[in-house]
Amino acid sequence: MYKYILKRCAMLIPVILGVAFIVFLMLYVTPGDPARMVLGEQAPQADVDNLREEMGLNDPFLMQFGRYVYKAVIQGDIGRSYITKRPVWDELLAAFPVTLKLSALAMGIALLVGIPCGIVTAVKQYSIFDNIVTLFALIGISMPVFWLGLLLILLFTVKLAWLPPSGFDSVQAMIMPAATLGLQSVAIITRMTRSSMLEVVRQDYICTARAKGQKESVVIRKHALPNALVPVVTIAGIQFGILLGGAVLTEIIFSLPGLGRLMVSSIEMRDYPMVQGGVLFIALAFCLVNLGVDLLYAWLDPRIKSQYT
């Protein structure tokens, strides 16, 4: 198991380097002068040229990228923000807890609602409950996040005055952002759980367990569910990684000081070090989530654990 973990951690290195190269290249060819952004539009051209030389912006692309990777790996320095002048790590670590809390709440809602609904709809296939849940799952997948957020604000804030329209410092303030971000994940996990359960309950070992006289609840809970959860865990891990990087619209709608909002403002102000650091941070978080999902497989299915060892 330890060798597998070390192997997977080693595989993260080329992934992160590839992401860093692509982002660095995209920002390199993007129109705009970072030195001009730092000094302002009214700064003399001589000052801009001197700052470009000081920042190393006149060097070839590969030299700039190599210097960036060297500082990031050896010194742990991924640059300073052009706008705030603070280290990028400090800005990211200050904004990430909000995004992590929002994504965790959204994923918690998705798992607590999606898995039970998927199990019931599979056991009660083609029932009225199955049709209703399938309809709502289709609506949840199809509805854009920004539209749902605006509808919730209109209903629970403007009409009913039950929940605050912004902020993330109380339980009431967390409800609408988490529900907005988690609705699509609820729909996806519900459909995946249903299809996985339908496949498992038709297996021979399920028929054998029923033939032995075990209760239906025991058959579902002990025999069918653990095997059906393996693809569900895969989807849940991918969805959690997507939530970490895709909470931009939700954070903007509800005015949350998270990582997504920080990235949008950095892109608008051409704060290149912040954009590069933010993308690398999200990519690393996504890779670590996938590693955790792979390790969770072994707990759910002993056959997979035997492959690890």
Side-chain angles (χ1 to χ4, degrees):
M1 179 67 75
Y2 295 107
K3 291 182 179 180
Y4 175 79
I5 296 175
L6 293 176
K7 181 180 178 181
R8 286 300 306 270
C9 291
M11 292 173 60
L12 296 180
I13 297 176
V15 174
I16 299 301
L17 287 177
V19 172
F21 181 82
I22 294 174
V23 175
F24 203 92
L25 178 61
M26 293 178 63
L27 294 178
Y28 182 80
V29 301
T30 300
D33 189 350
R36 175 66 66 180
M37 293 297 300
V38 173
L39 296 178
E41 296 296 333
Q42 305 301 324
Q45 185 61 38
D47 294 341
V48 175
D49 294 338
N50 292 333
L51 183 59
R52 284 184 58 85
E53 187 67 27
E54 181 182 341
M55 297 171 64
L57 298 176
N58 295 326
D59 297 334
F61 169 76
L62 291 180
M63 184 179 295
Q64 294 185 38
F65 179 70
R67 183 167 55 243
Y68 179 80
V69 173
Y70 175 81
K71 289 183 177 179
V73 175
I74 303 302
Q75 302 176 1
D77 180 15
I78 56 177
R80 285 181 173 270
S81 171
Y82 291 160
I83 307 302
T84 64
K85 311 301 181 183
R86 296 181 59 196
V88 172
W89 272 120
D90 294 346
E91 297 282 350
L92 294 176
L93 293 178
F96 184 66
V98 175
T99 301
L100 180 62
K101 185 186 296 185
L102 174 62
S103 301
L105 289 174
M107 181 52 60
I109 293 174
L111 295 176
L112 292 176
V113 177
I115 292 179
C117 288
I119 295 173
V120 175
T121 53
V123 175
K124 306 292 184 181
Q125 188 180 14
Y126 302 130
S127 63
I128 297 178
F129 181 79
D130 182 19
N131 295 330
I132 294 175
V133 171
T134 302
L135 175 62
F136 276 100
L138 180 61
I139 295 174
I141 293 175
S142 305
M143 183 174 294
V145 172
F146 68 90
W147 180 247
L148 176 62
L150 294 176
L151 288 180
L152 292 179
I153 292 175
L154 181 62
L155 176 61
F156 292 104
T157 301
V158 178
K159 296 295 184 182
L160 301 177
W162 287 355
L163 301 174
S166 61
F168 208 65
D169 53 355
S170 65
V171 176
Q172 288 184 328
M174 297 177 185
I175 293 176
M176 284 199 296
T180 300
L181 187 61
L183 179 62
Q184 285 190 346
S185 297
V186 169
I188 293 173
I189 290 177
T190 298
R191 292 172 66 90
M192 176 57 66
T193 305
R194 180 181 184 274
S195 61
S196 181
M197 283 291 296
L198 287 175
E199 181 179 354
V200 169
V201 295
R202 296 188 177 100
Q203 299 297 322
D204 293 339
Y205 64 88
I206 299 297
C207 297
T208 302
R210 288 170 174 164
K212 289 182 178 179
Q214 293 187 353
K215 295 181 179 179
E216 185 67 17
S217 59
V218 176
V219 172
I220 297 298
R221 186 177 69 255
K222 291 189 175 182
H223 298 282
L225 184 58
N227 294 284
L229 282 181
V230 174
V232 177
V233 169
T234 304
I235 294 298
I238 295 175
Q239 284 296 308
F240 186 66
I242 293 174
L243 292 179
L244 285 175
V248 178
L249 293 176
T250 304
E251 292 178 0
I252 292 177
I253 291 173
F254 294 99
S255 300
L256 305 181
L259 193 59
R261 190 179 180 187
L262 175 64
M263 292 291 294
V264 171
S265 62
S266 300
I267 293 173
E268 292 176 348
M269 294 182 290
R270 298 185 184 277
D271 192 352
Y272 293 164
M274 188 64 67
V275 176
Q276 293 169 358
V279 174
L280 289 177
F281 193 87
I282 294 173
L284 179 61
F286 198 98
C287 292
L288 293 178
V289 169
N290 286 335
L291 175 61
V293 169
D294 289 344
L295 297 179
L296 189 58
Y297 288 161
W299 181 71
L300 293 173
D301 193 340
R303 295 172 298 179
I304 299 177
K305 185 177 180 179
S306 64
Q307 297 177 5
Y308 290 167
T309 56

